[in-house]
Amino acid sequence: MVKKAFIFDLDGVIVDTAKFHFIAWQRLAASLEIKFTEHENEQLKGVSRVHSLQKILEWGNIEISPDVFQAKMDQKNEEYLDLIKSLDTSDIMPGVHDFLLNLKEQEQPIALGSASKNARPILKKLGILHLFEVIVDGTNVTEAKPDPEVFLHASRQLNFAVQESIVFEDSVAGVQAANAAGMISIGLGEKKILHEADEVFTHFTDMPKDYINTLLSKKK
Ligand code: BG6
Ligand code: MG
């Protein structure tokens, strides 16, 4: 049977946490009197915590000391962790659980490729940690998306070539990272935002019934 490496982003693809990152960053920006709307937020999706704060400070044209920078990052993460306290299986994005189970049934390898340092505890909360053979997250990469590092690590650890790897992403930076890696990029979200992806669906539930088979024969 043909096999491919199926690599999933976490926030906004597997779980509906993108809205909580947004709220926490918005509060943080407000504390510095920096404008932060959906428009700014879109540019932070898929971007690591440290790069996100750097971008917000650039937008506000503000400089802070390394100590304050660290304190602001800690503050954002505490707010975020507080917002996701009660996260459970009901927060898994529509169709994702079935999609993962179908892949498992077909013995297809599954990896996580996320910028988040909170990835493992979140997958545990959702009860799906065991479905991932490989986890590459914010604790094991140095370069932020759109750099392809996170996805290259994931495919390498699964022992697959980049042409045999498929990435699921909700962010512009993540789609660009998958494309830069030479992998098939499947966008989850709005077509007008994720137009660089090879294909875009609103949700996993919008994919055709035999879409896994389509992906297994898909070429970049
Ligand atoms: C990405 C999110 O998955 O992870 C970003 O899209 C977030 O919004 C980044 O900033 C880092 O996450 P964390 O959980 O380590 O702060
Ligand atoms: Mg994401």
Side-chain angles (χ1 to χ4, degrees):
M1 195 206 251
V2 185
K3 297 233 170 130
K4 295 247 169 122
F6 287 81
I7 308 173
F8 295 81
D9 172 49
L10 176 71
D11 298 304
V13 169
I14 288 180
V15 61
D16 199 7
T17 41
K19 60 186 182 206
F20 298 130
H21 279 296
F22 177 39
I23 296 170
W25 281 129
Q26 200 170 41
R27 284 185 192 158
L28 196 282
S31 76
L32 294 163
E33 294 180 11
I34 299 172
K35 180 177 157 232
F36 192 87
T37 66
E38 293 271 4
H39 172 75
E40 283 78 27
N41 186 56
E42 204 57 52
Q43 298 170 60
L44 297 191
K45 283 189 183 170
V47 177
S48 66
R49 204 181 304 165
V50 59
H51 282 90
S52 298
L53 182 53
Q54 279 165 355
K55 277 179 186 258
I56 292 173
L57 294 172
E58 275 171 32
W59 293 330
N61 209 4
I62 287 179
E63 280 185 30
I64 54 180
S65 70
D67 285 355
V68 178
F69 190 98
Q70 188 57 50
K72 290 284 173 197
M73 283 217 299
D74 294 347
Q75 183 192 330
K76 187 269 170 180
N77 197 45
E78 275 163 30
E79 295 229 18
Y80 174 67
L81 292 179
D82 192 48
L83 288 164
I84 62 163
K85 240 188 354 252
S86 54
L87 210 66
D88 62 23
T89 49
S90 68
D91 296 291
I92 298 179
M93 297 294 262
V96 169
H97 205 203
D98 283 347
F99 194 85
L100 292 172
L101 292 181
N102 287 341
L103 287 176
K104 276 279 153 202
E105 210 168 277
Q106 296 193 30
E107 294 173 19
Q108 297 292 337
I110 303 176
L112 190 84
S114 166
S116 174
K117 293 189 169 172
N118 297 302
R120 276 175 192 272
I122 289 177
L123 290 177
K124 213 169 171 190
K125 259 178 192 285
L126 302 175
I128 54 173
L129 180 61
H130 63 286
L131 298 177
F132 292 82
E133 240 160 83
V134 161
I135 291 183
V136 184
D137 62 21
T139 65
N140 3 73
V141 289
T142 50
E143 302 300 322
K145 298 172 187 176
D147 189 282
E149 185 189 10
V150 62
F151 297 137
L152 292 174
H153 273 306
S155 65
R156 205 168 299 142
Q157 285 186 39
L158 286 174
N159 273 317
F160 278 77
V162 291
Q163 318 84 264
E164 298 167 324
S165 302
I166 303 163
V167 170
F168 299 87
E169 258 294 345
D170 70 314
S171 70
V172 175
V175 166
Q176 288 171 342
N179 290 343
M183 300 176 180
I184 290 174
S185 53
I186 307 296
L188 274 307
E190 287 183 50
K191 248 194 192 121
K192 68 171 194 299
I193 294 174
L194 303 174
H195 54 87
E196 289 171 70
D198 292 312
E199 256 187 285
V200 180
F201 298 94
T202 309
H203 293 298
F204 280 81
T205 43
D206 301 309
M207 292 171 180
K209 216 169 185 307
D210 58 347
Y211 193 58
I212 291 177
N213 285 328
T214 308
L215 285 174
L216 290 175
S217 55
K218 200 172 171 70
K219 299 241 178 317
K220 182 75 181 169

